[in-house]
């Protein structure tokens, strides 16, 4: 079967421009009775934050929002991710803009998937965009309307997400690209949609690896009758691996993190083996941290009790251009706790146990800076840099929340996530910072609180923490459905002290 | 942003006028759901009568019960968003079902097939038509944030997907009898 190593010419740009957006200003009481049955109520009083902080809902009605960022003047940008997630409709891929004077508009784009991460730098909006066989990093100049595609060769087309872009104090651009496969091998379990669009997509390692020759049997849903087929790691679905086969590593791989100059030149691979580096944040010392999500306990290569984790990307402190060998963080064979996926601790209750794929794997770059409960689904994150908000130097992390019982049969996994935590990355500890009165999404526990936090970012002055809430997703043992027009942008502020 | 500005929030595409506009557009599609389902049910009703083989006849009888339930569910979609189902689309759908039989006869004649085999083949296609119409309705329900639409469509699509497998099996199994042996069934 043919491969798709090169970016298609049709993947190099798309129509983009500014357009009005249908936004209405409304007093807080209107948020208590919304004409959206999937989320009829948004009520900040149902949300718990520590004493001394207050929370308010800034905007609701967002469809599959992915990230929030700010211009230097306080303009708020919220990206809506378009589509390419399974069992969800396409909603317009765009970036909603709220200006400091309260006026609104949107950057609209004709691209099927859409922006998954956004960052502002020197008058331009940088976007990590999913869709097709290759993810892109692009920038859009709001004054001239010019779109420039900076990176377009990162192999994608599967389950996981682009990471970043974020800019370090060194002025460099850092970005990531999640794995195509969910479980280290392309399977129909996570691919019923992606497999249709991208049957040739596969994982690509960041350095040469030798395979054990283990393949995975599954049904082949591409055929008129779903006969059985075998698939190996780093191969398109339905293609086997051989024992001792060497897969060449590539600069443009996936499950990886890079940096480059802001124009996308001089790309340097820092790390690979990171399953889903969706959240990326750099502290004032220039240390890069990346969130990563655990394996699923279902399907033909099921892995149990893998913790979510935050990796410290140590190579980011090396001089630019000096990293000859990227660090490897474990995917597809090592769990977040450093144990191999076939260790008895990780044997599944649901699905078939995993075999190892890599013979003589590279040295593991762990341990993780922080381990979180399985299936918390840590997403985007930001460091507090202001004494006026507090917790300066701590990492605030949005937790989208579990997909159990779909991806785990364990009762204890049902309420993991659905909150924002603050992490002390030096100590490897965390405390909940924002959550509902009970742990879990508002759609399950009742009330008008949070559903699924997907991003959190501090305002340019560091005084306000904005939390982007993806909205309502209905999950059961066999399916998931996400509802548009249910996303919310929340804002957390430290209350001013009053002196009598 | 000033304190006064922040005391008001922003509703994105949730104002009354925008929602109403989206509902009107959704109603237009729901009429298609009704039309394709009525067409399928009519073709199925007529095909059941033509088939003599007892097992296939039984399968299709059961499928017809599902089809009648699904037609009611297509009508229920309208009430979820405060509208009434269309009686015109239902009638047009029945006429389309009859038209598809005529098409089946033409194809059967041209392809040398004997008996009701071509009707089975047309049923297979017609079922896919109505299944995809329900699937689109489901996507619109997700896009509008209305779980009740999903509650109606999900089970219909699952049943129609099962029915599609059965129709595929029957049509593929019986083609040799119809085309090679020129026998009815």
């Amino acid at each position: 079967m043919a491969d798709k190593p090169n970016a298609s010419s049709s993947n190099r740009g798309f129509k983009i421009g500014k357009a009005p957006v249908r936004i209405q200003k409304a007093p807080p009481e209107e948020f208590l009775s919304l004409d959206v049955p999937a989320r009829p109520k948004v009520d900040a009083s149902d949300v718990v934050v520590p004493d001394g902080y207050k929370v308010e809902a800034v905007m609701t009605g967002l469809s599959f929002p992915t990230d929030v960022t700010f211009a230097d003047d306080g303009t708020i940008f919220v990206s809506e991710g378009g589509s390419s997630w399974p069992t969800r409709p396409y909603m317009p891929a765009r970036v909603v803009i709220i200006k400091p004077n309260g006026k609104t508009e949107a950057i609209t784009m004709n691209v099927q998937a859409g922006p998954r991460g956004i960052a502002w730098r020197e008058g331009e909006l940088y976007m990590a965009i999913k869709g097709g066989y290759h993810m892109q990093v692009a920038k859009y100049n709001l004054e001239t309307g010019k779109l420039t595609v900076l990176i377009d060769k990162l192999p994608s087309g599967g389950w996981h997400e682009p990471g970043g872009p974020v800019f370090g104090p060194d002025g460099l651009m850092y970005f990531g690209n999640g794995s195509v496969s969910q479980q280290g091998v392309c399977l129909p379990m996570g691919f019923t949609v992606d497999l249709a669009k991208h049957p040739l997509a596969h994982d690509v390692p960041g350095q040469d690896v030798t395979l054990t020759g283990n393949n995975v049997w599954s049904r082949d849903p591409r055929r008129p009758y779903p006969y059985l087929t075998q698939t190996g790691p780093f191969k398109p679905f339905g293609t086997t691996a051989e024992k001792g086969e060497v897969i060449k590593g590539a600069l443009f791989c996936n499950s990886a993190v890079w940096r480059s100059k802001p124009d996308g030149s001089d790309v340097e691979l820092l790390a690979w083996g990171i399953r889903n580096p969706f959240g990326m944040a750099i502290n004032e010392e220039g240390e890069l941290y990346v969130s990563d999500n655990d394996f699923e306990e279902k399907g033909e290569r099921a892995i149990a009790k893998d913790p979510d984790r935050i990796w410290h990307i140590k190579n980011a402190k090396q001089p630019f251009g000096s990293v000859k060998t990227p660090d490897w963080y474990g995917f597809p064979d090592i769990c977040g706790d450093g144990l191999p996926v076939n260790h008895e601790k990780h044997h599944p209750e649901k699905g078939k146990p995993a075999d190892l794929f890599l013979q003589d794997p590279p040295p593991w770059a762990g341990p993780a800076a922080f381990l979180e409960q399985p299936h918390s689904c840590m997403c985007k994150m930001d460091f507090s840099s202001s004494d006026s908000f507090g917790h300066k130097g701590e990492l605030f992390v949005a937790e989208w929340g579990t997909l159990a019982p779909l991806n785990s049969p364990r009762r204890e996994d049902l309420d993991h996530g659905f909150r924002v935590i603050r992490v002390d990355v030096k100590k490897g500890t965390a405390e909940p910072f924002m959550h509902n009165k009970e742990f879990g999404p508002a759609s399950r526990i009742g009330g008008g609180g949070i559903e699924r936090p997907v991003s959190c970012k501090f305002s340019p002055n560091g005084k306000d923490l904005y939390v982007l809430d993806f909205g309502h997703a209905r999950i059961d043992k066999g399916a998931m459905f996400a509802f548009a027009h249910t996303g919310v942008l929340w804002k957390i502020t430290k209350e001013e002290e009053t002196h009598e | 942003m000033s304190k006064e500005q922040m005391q008001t929030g922003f509703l994105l595409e949730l104002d009354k006028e925008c929602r109403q506009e989206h509902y009107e557009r959704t109603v237009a599609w729901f009429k298609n759901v009704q039309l394709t389902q009525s067409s399928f049910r009519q073709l199925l009703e007529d095909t059941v009568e033509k088939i003599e083989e007892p097992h296939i006849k039984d399968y299709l009888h059961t499928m017809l019960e599902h089809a009648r339930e699904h037609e009611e569910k297509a009508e229920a979609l309208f009430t979820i968003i405060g509208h009434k189902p269309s009686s015109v689309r239902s009638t047009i759908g029945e006429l389309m079902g009859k038209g598809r039989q005529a098409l089946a006869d033409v194809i059967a004649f041209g392809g040398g097939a004997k008996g009701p085999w071509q009707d089975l083949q047309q049923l297979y296609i017609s079922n896919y038509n109505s299944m995809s119409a329900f699937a689109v309705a489901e996507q619109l329900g997700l896009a509008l944030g209305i779980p009740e639409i999903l509650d109606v469509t999900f089970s219909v699509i699952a049943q129609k997907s099962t029915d599609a497998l059965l129709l595929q099996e029957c049509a593929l199994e019986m083609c040799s009898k119809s085309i090679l042996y020129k026998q009815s069934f």
Side-chain angles (χ1 to χ4, degrees):
Chain A
M1 189 174 275
D3 207 344
K4 289 281 280 186
N6 299 315
S8 150
S9 58
S10 64
N11 200 36
R12 292 181 183 143
F14 42 82
K15 193 175 174 188
I16 187 168
K18 283 194 274 188
V21 62
R22 297 177 79 157
I23 290 186
Q24 191 175 70
K25 290 181 186 173
E29 53 269 24
E30 282 201 29
F31 282 56
L32 303 179
S33 178
L34 299 164
D35 181 20
V36 188
R39 195 168 194 177
K41 180 182 178 186
V42 172
D43 187 355
S45 69
D46 286 332
V47 180
V48 177
V49 289
D51 287 345
Y53 292 87
K54 66 170 184 178
V55 59
E56 61 195 295
V58 175
M59 178 161 54
T60 188
L62 290 155
S63 294
F64 313 140
T66 52
D67 201 5
V68 56
T69 195
F70 311 91
D72 303 330
D73 66 355
T75 297
I76 303 169
F77 300 92
V78 181
S79 55
E80 293 181 302
S83 183
S84 98
W85 293 284
T87 66
R88 300 171 204 187
Y90 173 84
M91 298 300 287
R94 64 189 174 190
V95 178
V96 177
I97 302 171
I98 306 174
K99 296 178 180 173
N101 62 7
K103 292 195 170 160
T104 57
E105 62 181 339
I107 301 168
T108 59
M109 53 197 88
N110 185 17
V111 60
Q112 189 191 16
R116 303 303 168 82
I118 51 176
W120 178 262
R121 184 179 178 275
E122 295 179 357
E124 294 183 297
L125 189 70
Y126 287 71
M127 301 178 280
I129 298 163
K130 201 177 176 187
Y133 274 100
H134 296 86
M135 67 155 278
Q136 303 169 69
V137 180
K139 66 176 181 178
Y140 177 68
N141 188 304
L142 272 71
E143 294 302 317
T144 65
K146 186 183 176 195
L147 176 77
T148 309
V149 177
L150 306 169
I151 304 283
D152 66 354
K153 293 186 178 64
L154 301 180
S156 179
W159 188 259
H160 290 128
E161 297 289 324
V166 292
F167 290 90
D170 53 10
L172 297 172
M173 180 170 75
Y174 292 77
F175 51 95
N177 182 26
S179 65
V180 165
S181 70
Q182 276 186 306
Q183 301 293 88
V185 57
C186 294
L187 293 170
M189 54 174 279
F191 263 150
T192 44
V193 174
D194 287 325
L195 193 57
K197 290 180 189 162
H198 312 122
L200 304 179
H202 59 86
D203 291 328
V204 176
Q207 60 193 120
D208 293 0
V209 291
T210 304
L211 304 183
T212 57
N214 285 321
N215 293 298
V216 178
W217 281 103
S218 70
R219 299 181 84 198
D220 185 347
R222 299 170 303 170
R223 311 292 184 213
Y225 291 102
Y227 299 116
L228 293 177
T229 190
Q230 265 188 308
T231 308
F234 307 106
K235 305 278 186 177
F237 180 67
T239 310
T240 52
E242 302 296 327
K243 182 174 171 56
E245 182 181 351
V246 175
I247 304 288
K248 297 296 288 179
L251 169 64
F252 295 114
C253 56
N254 46 36
S255 74
V257 170
W258 299 260
R259 66 182 165 189
S260 73
K261 289 178 182 164
D263 64 2
S265 63
D266 296 334
V267 176
E268 183 177 41
L269 177 61
L270 300 176
W272 77 284
I274 302 170
R275 189 171 172 268
N276 192 24
F278 184 55
M280 300 175 67
I282 301 174
N283 65 13
E284 288 183 330
E285 291 83 48
E287 303 278 359
L288 173 63
Y289 290 85
V290 171
S291 65
D292 189 15
N293 305 132
D294 55 276
F295 285 109
E296 313 226 323
E297 190 177 354
K298 70 175 169 68
E300 296 87 350
R301 191 178 191 252
I303 297 153
K305 296 183 176 176
D306 180 22
D308 254 36
R309 54 270 183 169
I310 290 171
W311 302 113
H312 178 206
I313 307 299
K314 296 177 275 289
N315 271 341
K317 287 296 277 185
Q318 299 300 318
F320 183 46
S322 71
V323 177
K324 302 298 176 209
T325 305
D327 278 341
W328 178 66
Y329 284 83
F331 182 85
D333 272 0
I334 306 289
C335 290
D337 56 9
L339 295 172
V341 294
N342 62 350
H343 188 275
E344 63 181 21
K345 181 190 166 189
H346 295 299
H347 283 185
E349 288 177 6
K350 179 184 177 186
K352 187 174 175 289
D355 291 319
L356 295 177
F357 286 146
L358 303 185
Q359 189 177 298
D360 306 322
W364 183 55
F370 171 66
L371 292 178
E372 176 60 304
Q373 295 165 320
H375 309 294
S376 295
C377 194
M378 289 189 289
C379 288
K380 293 195 180 287
M381 50 199 200
D382 200 9
F383 281 97
S384 171
S385 60
S386 161
D387 285 322
S388 58
F389 187 86
H391 305 294
K392 189 175 177 182
E394 291 190 18
L395 181 62
F396 286 71
V397 185
E399 295 190 343
W400 198 82
T402 186
L403 285 172
L406 177 66
N407 65 355
S408 163
R410 298 170 195 276
R411 281 192 67 80
E412 66 267 26
D413 288 344
L414 285 171
D415 61 3
H416 290 171
F418 310 104
R419 61 185 183 174
V420 174
I421 58 170
R422 57 179 177 86
V423 179
D424 184 326
V425 293
K426 305 292 181 208
K427 294 179 183 165
T429 57
E431 294 290 332
F433 188 77
M434 178 201 202
H435 51 86
N436 290 325
K437 288 171 182 167
E438 289 175 48
F439 284 104
S443 51
R444 183 160 62 79
I445 65 171
I450 54 178
E451 288 285 343
R452 292 182 177 273
V454 67
S455 180
C456 59
K457 295 279 179 67
F458 284 94
S459 58
N461 62 14
K463 289 183 174 177
D464 309 310
L465 177 64
Y466 283 82
V467 176
L468 187 62
D469 180 340
F470 183 85
H472 175 44
R474 182 196 283 186
I475 314 291
D476 62 31
K477 286 180 181 173
M480 66 173 287
F481 298 94
F483 291 91
H485 289 111
T486 61
V488 176
L489 180 65
W490 304 92
K491 178 185 168 190
I492 303 171
T493 312
K494 193 167 187 182
E495 290 176 306
E496 289 171 18
E497 288 176 19
T498 52
H499 301 280
E500 292 182 11
Chain B
M1 200 171 298
S2 71
K3 240 177 193 174
E4 292 70 30
Q5 281 159 351
M6 287 309 299
Q7 279 168 356
T8 58
F10 296 93
L11 300 178
L12 177 56
E13 296 176 352
L14 291 185
D15 60 280
K16 218 171 194 173
E17 190 186 335
C18 185
R19 290 295 278 183
Q20 205 51 47
E21 194 177 293
H22 285 172
Y23 288 160
E24 296 295 338
R25 292 170 182 173
T26 302
V27 164
W29 184 261
F30 285 175
K31 288 177 181 173
N32 266 354
V33 178
Q34 242 194 316
L35 180 112
T36 54
Q37 182 57 26
S38 301
S39 171
F40 172 70
R41 189 259 309 147
Q42 182 66 57
L43 179 62
L44 182 53
E45 265 178 11
D46 295 343
T47 305
V48 170
E49 294 303 314
K50 293 179 186 176
I51 287 178
E52 293 170 8
E53 198 285 325
H55 300 111
I56 296 177
K57 200 175 185 74
D58 182 51
Y59 301 151
L60 295 188
H61 257 302
T62 307
M63 197 179 291
L64 182 56
E65 287 169 22
H66 298 151
R68 288 175 177 144
E69 286 168 20
H70 296 168
E71 205 166 345
E72 287 172 14
K73 291 196 171 183
E75 292 177 5
L77 288 172
F78 291 85
T79 55
I80 293 171
I81 54 173
H83 285 255
K84 285 183 181 171
S86 163
S87 56
V88 178
R89 289 300 176 106
S90 189
T91 309
I92 294 173
E94 287 168 1
L95 290 172
M96 282 175 64
K98 295 284 186 191
R100 204 173 262 280
Q101 286 174 63
L103 177 66
D105 291 343
V106 172
I107 295 171
F109 181 76
K114 173 85 175 172
W117 179 79
Q118 213 21 267
D119 293 284
L120 271 183
Q121 182 78 351
Q122 289 298 320
L123 261 183
Y124 177 60
I125 297 164
S126 176
N127 181 56
Y128 265 115
N129 267 343
S130 58
M131 181 166 72
S132 61
F134 272 103
V136 169
E138 183 168 290
Q139 293 295 305
L140 295 176
L142 296 173
L144 289 167
I146 304 179
E148 291 85 348
I149 292 175
L150 176 67
D151 295 339
V152 168
T153 54
F154 188 72
S155 61
V156 174
I157 294 163
Q159 184 58 56
K160 282 189 159 291
S161 183
T162 309
D163 291 346
L165 292 175
L166 175 61
L167 289 168
Q168 177 178 275
E169 277 305 303
C170 292
L172 290 180
E173 273 185 341
M174 302 312 287
C175 68
S176 50
K177 188 173 188 187
S178 175
I179 296 169
L180 292 185
Y181 292 90
K182 300 281 183 192
Q183 290 176 5
S184 187
F185 55 90

